[in-house]
Amino acid sequence: MKTLVTAGLLAATMLAGTAQAAASKTNVDTFLGADIFATPADAAAITKRCDDMIAEIQRRQAELAAETGPATVDGTLRRFDDIGNILGSAGGEFTLYREVMADDARRAAGGACEVRISSEASKLSLSRPIYERLKAIPAASADAATQYYLKRTLGDFERAGVGLPDAQRAKAQALQDKIAELGTQFDKNIADGRKTVTADPAELDGLPADYIARHKPGADGKVVISTDTPDYTPVMTYAKSAALRERLSRAYNTRAYPANDAVLKDLLNARQELATLLGRKDYATLAVENKMLDTPAKIENLLTEMNTAARPAGERDYARKLAFHQGEHPGAKTFEFWDNAILAQQVQKRDYAYDRQEARQYFAYDNVRDGILKLTQDLFGVQIRPWKTATWDPQVEAYEMLDGGKVIGRFYFDSHPRPGKYNHANAVPLRNGLAGRMVPVAALVMNMPAGDHTTGLMEHRDVETFLHEFGHLIHHIFGGQTPRWAGQSGVATEWDFVEAPSQMLEEWVYDYDTLKGFAVNAKGETIPQALVEKMNKARYFDQGMGDLRQLGLSNISLKLHQGTAPADVGARTRELAAAYDLNPFPEWSQMQDAFGHLNGYSAFYYTYRWSKVIADDMFTRFETKGLRDAATAQRYRKMVLEPGGTKPAAELVQSFLERPISLDAYRAEMAKDK
């Protein structure tokens, strides 16, 4: 497909030799910069920024497509990598605008640019002239990381369909554009799908006092409760009123329905059409070809093995919950979907003397944030300080990380809910780090309570989520120190590895030596060690059922991408979940319409389960040496995080463990609560 650039512009921008490589290097760094995240004044400002980004991408693509003379690593591959750097940076930047801007117009402008950036990425991946230039690079004398990068890059071109005839390449481009548009609409509908229910004040019985204080009755005497996480999770965990839990569960599990049902069907069908065009059986096959588990059969085998390990634990969990439920409902043969979370905490309280509300008083957002930053400093020997820079909302916090007095990364926390904001939690890479050239930048977007013990009390599981997501930022920063190529910087490993470092880091929120540094109540009293010990005894209860639910979600993700969309996507989703889940979604559930990973992760939600296996395995090193052992932490940083995507993930893990990856640690964990 022809690039969108005029012949005059092409002629004006073409230079030759190493001088051009040096100029491009300087220009891309200057063009991207880092301090550009002041709030765009309006949607037009975002669109203008998008126009500038795309013009630069098109200029560089045209230049590379028309390149003559010997293809070289320092010339050809450098130019290609700079284009990818701009594409990746732009993708992160406009994703952030879509997720966090205060008004719909600016969020829509960010989403529209995401689609345009995705289209430019597709054009690049389908450019036969650029592919031929890269293929012509004599890389035998290049370093191993560069050879690996070039090999993966050529494979990505080939999977995208660069070898197709012109008409079919044009069709592939059109399908990729359609997929990007549908995905953006899918995400927008989820953000806009926030719902509320009303409750009588008496129905809040059982909820924490600070929650009740924040939910005052209105003029009609009713309390309004939203599907935002800080509202939803406490109700499902503590509210004694089954009627309230049911109403809120129905609202939560029908978000974005029916708006997203047609969008999801179109998305699944477009992906299947693309896979067929590219000669694959289905989209799942296409999507996982460049993953650690590179076939659907390997994924299904993983799910089977994990199910074998988790099901006995899950069945024990279910039996104990049902027995507790039968104490209040004699003769009950099962319990409802909306009973699951409250029964879990009730059993923990009865059988382990662990009260989540007792623990909750020690986790105020401000302290948790500071504790996570301190843990990072202590564990990895870095310094974190406030970063004086513009932000898009008064509640956004900005920091920079230093190592040996040198700034090695910058990041933002956008931690609290707002109407229209992305309503889950994710890390958004904004700038890739490059050795000697660029400092990595990223944003953490979450939905946590804000403030101190008056307004900001968090569930312990929220602390776990916070540290998990911050783990992605750590990976992005440490993995942006040594790579030569933007395409290998940060979290640039196979996608089914990217969750492993974050999942391993979750272990530290169960460590008393870590928690005692920041977990204090309103009186300033440190969390008792005895309470943390109870927490650790209770933590493995319900893990089996939880993992089986995750296997169900993985099954949904994989199987929905093995053919065209089912006529009733909700019914098929519930069926696929029930193959693993012991407390399956009710007949009224339409959770697929708010299952955001069906866009971003498509067929490979299993990533979270495979990464869990790897995380448990890597953590055995820390269990042996000690969670606060600086030498182990530095070894992990150097061997697993800092290489970024310069080696296959399996090699990174094997070098750290000094053996191949094993499921043994996962199996042992599933057997801990008997």
Side-chain angles (χ1 to χ4, degrees):
M1 180 174 286
K2 294 182 179 178
T3 50
L4 300 178
V5 63
T6 66
L9 178 59
L10 175 60
T13 55
M14 282 183 62
L15 296 171
T18 57
Q20 171 58 26
S24 293
K25 175 180 176 180
T26 302
N27 289 343
V28 74
D29 297 355
T30 303
F31 178 76
L32 289 175
D35 300 314
I36 51 83
F37 299 106
T39 305
D42 50 29
I46 292 177
T47 301
K48 174 61 167 61
R49 174 75 178 164
C50 184
D51 291 342
D52 291 345
M53 285 279 199
I54 287 176
E56 182 70 7
I57 291 165
Q58 291 176 346
R59 179 185 75 80
R60 289 172 178 270
Q61 284 188 355
E63 177 185 293
L64 180 54
E67 183 187 67
T68 59
T72 65
V73 167
D74 291 333
T76 309
L77 188 57
R78 169 63 64 201
R79 291 174 190 142
F80 170 80
D81 189 63
D82 284 348
I83 295 168
N85 196 5
I86 299 173
L87 281 165
S89 298
E93 182 177 334
F94 292 99
T95 293
L96 186 70
Y97 294 150
R98 191 251 305 159
E99 289 188 354
V100 306
M101 289 291 99
D103 56 87
D104 188 63
R106 282 183 290 178
R107 291 194 298 270
C113 190
E114 281 185 289
V115 174
R116 294 174 65 190
I117 293 296
S118 178
S119 180
E120 293 303 319
S122 296
K123 292 172 188 174
L124 177 63
S125 67
L126 290 166
S127 171
R128 192 169 291 165
I130 292 176
Y131 170 74
E132 295 296 344
R133 289 298 296 173
L134 293 170
K135 193 174 181 181
I137 295 173
S141 61
D143 60 274
T146 297
Q147 291 187 46
Y148 178 59
Y149 179 37
L150 186 57
K151 179 181 178 181
R152 283 181 62 86
T153 296
L154 293 173
D156 289 340
F157 270 90
E158 290 154 8
R159 276 185 295 277
V162 73
L164 294 172
D166 290 350
Q168 290 180 305
R169 284 210 317 281
K171 179 64 174 177
Q173 176 69 54
L175 285 168
Q176 291 282 20
D177 290 350
K178 182 178 181 180
I179 288 167
E181 291 170 3
L182 290 166
T184 297
Q185 186 62 51
F186 187 77
D187 288 345
K188 182 181 186 302
N189 287 346
I190 295 173
D192 293 343
R194 178 182 187 267
K195 292 185 176 183
T196 60
V197 302
T198 59
D200 292 324
E203 290 184 293
L204 272 59
D205 185 27
L207 282 154
D210 64 293
Y211 185 98
I212 295 172
R214 292 198 311 273
H215 292 77
K216 302 292 187 185
D220 61 356
K222 301 288 187 179
V223 174
V224 177
I225 299 172
S226 78
T227 53
D228 291 340
T229 301
D231 271 11
Y232 174 77
T233 300
V235 168
M236 302 310 296
T237 307
Y238 302 117
K240 293 180 181 179
S241 170
L244 173 58
R245 296 198 308 272
E246 180 182 359
R247 290 201 305 280
L248 189 57
S249 181
R250 285 179 179 270
Y252 185 85
N253 288 287
T254 54
R255 288 171 300 138
Y257 176 80
N260 258 349
D261 231 39
V263 176
L264 179 56
K265 287 181 181 179
D266 288 346
L267 180 60
L268 295 173
N269 287 334
R271 285 172 170 166
Q272 179 62 25
E273 187 177 357
L274 176 64
T276 301
L277 177 67
L278 297 175
R280 305 316 197 270
K281 176 183 177 182
D282 51 46
Y283 188 79
T285 299
L286 176 65
V288 305
E289 283 180 348
N290 59 348
K291 307 300 184 290
M292 295 180 76
L293 303 185
D294 56 4
T295 68
K298 291 180 182 179
I299 297 165
E300 290 175 4
N301 184 62
L302 172 72
L303 300 186
T304 297
E305 288 191 70
M306 296 187 77
N307 179 60
T308 299
R311 186 157 293 269
E315 289 172 347
R316 292 193 298 270
D317 297 339
Y318 189 92
R320 291 168 71 181
K321 290 179 189 176
L322 179 58
F324 190 100
H325 184 67
Q326 288 169 334
E328 296 181 354
H329 303 84
K333 301 299 184 184
T334 186
F335 53 84
E336 300 289 355
F337 181 76
W338 52 86
D339 295 330
N340 186 51
I342 191 170
L343 285 171
Q345 69 91 4
Q346 287 171 330
V347 172
Q348 283 184 325
K349 189 174 182 179
R350 182 194 67 184
D351 293 356
Y352 302 92
Y354 174 58
D355 185 345
R356 293 187 193 178
Q357 288 203 46
E358 181 185 359
R360 185 174 177 273
Q361 66 178 305
Y362 295 97
F363 299 118
Y365 172 81
D366 289 346
N367 292 343
V368 170
R369 174 204 60 213
D370 294 346
I372 286 174
L373 296 180
K374 186 176 187 303
L375 170 64
T376 305
Q377 294 178 99
D378 293 347
L379 201 57
F380 296 110
V382 295
Q383 177 190 356
I384 297 174
R385 68 187 183 192
W387 174 27
K388 295 180 181 179
T389 187
T391 62
W392 52 90
D393 186 89
Q395 287 190 308
V396 173
E397 302 154 320
Y399 298 90
E400 52 188 7
M401 184 183 293
L402 296 86
D403 193 359
K406 176 186 176 183
V407 174
I408 63 169
R410 297 187 173 98
F411 57 92
Y412 304 88
F413 287 161
D414 188 344
S415 300
H416 314 301
R418 294 187 299 275
K421 179 187 168 185
Y422 174 78
N423 53 25
H424 196 46
N426 69 348
V428 183
L430 298 169
R431 293 293 180 267
N432 290 309
L434 285 169
R437 290 176 51 188
M438 297 185 70
V439 172
V441 184
L444 183 51
V445 182
M446 301 185 296
N447 288 273
M448 302 292 183
D452 57 16
H453 294 84
T454 304
T455 60
L457 290 181
M458 303 166 60
E459 293 288 324
H460 182 255
R461 75 187 73 175
D462 293 333
V463 182
E464 187 176 290
T465 296
F466 194 157
L467 188 54
H468 172 103
E469 297 299 341
F470 189 59
H472 290 306
L473 265 65
I474 293 172
H475 195 174
H476 179 68
I477 291 172
F478 288 157
Q481 302 308 306
T482 60
R484 177 184 180 186
W485 307 107
Q488 293 183 315
S489 178
V491 190
T493 60
E494 297 96 321
W495 202 332
D496 51 353
F497 174 74
V498 298
E499 299 294 340
S502 287
Q503 288 186 320
M504 189 190 73
L505 204 57
E506 293 171 13
E507 295 287 344
W508 273 257
V509 302
Y510 291 93
D511 174 48
Y512 176 70
D513 288 337
T514 298
L515 293 179
K516 71 181 182 182
F518 66 86
V520 297
N521 63 17
K523 298 177 182 178
E525 298 167 338
T526 301
I527 190 169
Q529 186 166 0
L531 178 59
V532 178
E533 290 172 356
K534 293 176 185 177
M535 178 193 296
N536 273 281
K537 289 178 181 178
R539 67 178 291 197
Y540 299 108
F541 169 71
D542 205 33
Q543 186 169 248
M545 275 191 72
D547 269 35
L548 290 173
R549 172 152 293 172
Q550 290 296 310
L551 294 177
L553 296 175
S554 301
N555 199 40
I556 292 167
S557 167
L558 181 67
K559 296 294 177 59
L560 284 183
H561 288 93
Q562 290 185 304
T564 55
D568 187 337
V569 68
R572 179 60 172 156
T573 295
R574 295 188 294 272
E575 177 188 19
L576 292 170
Y580 294 94
D581 199 336
L582 295 179
N583 185 227
F585 295 103
E587 288 301 306
W588 48 259
S589 171
Q590 301 290 345
M591 63 76 61
Q592 73 283 347
D593 284 359
F595 188 10
H597 290 83
L598 289 178
N599 178 33
Y601 277 57
S602 68
F604 43 91
Y605 185 84
Y606 80 89
T607 291
Y608 287 93
R609 295 302 86 210
W610 176 232
S611 289
K612 171 66 174 168
V613 169
I614 298 172
D616 286 351
D617 208 12
M618 291 193 299
F619 185 63
T620 59
R621 285 295 182 188
F622 286 93
E623 284 184 306
T624 301
K625 299 293 185 179
L627 271 67
R628 315 293 291 187
D629 183 64
T632 303
Q634 285 299 322
R635 185 169 174 271
Y636 169 70
R637 173 181 169 179
K638 297 293 184 185
M639 290 185 168
V640 178
L641 301 181
E642 283 192 1
T646 57
K647 297 178 181 178
E651 289 186 17
L652 301 179
V653 177
Q654 183 162 340
S655 67
F656 178 65
L657 293 175
E658 299 177 321
R659 58 168 173 75
I661 298 166
S662 167
L663 267 77
D664 290 349
Y666 175 78
R667 293 188 182 103
E669 184 171 303
M670 283 296 120
K672 284 184 177 179
D673 185 65
K674 286 188 175 180

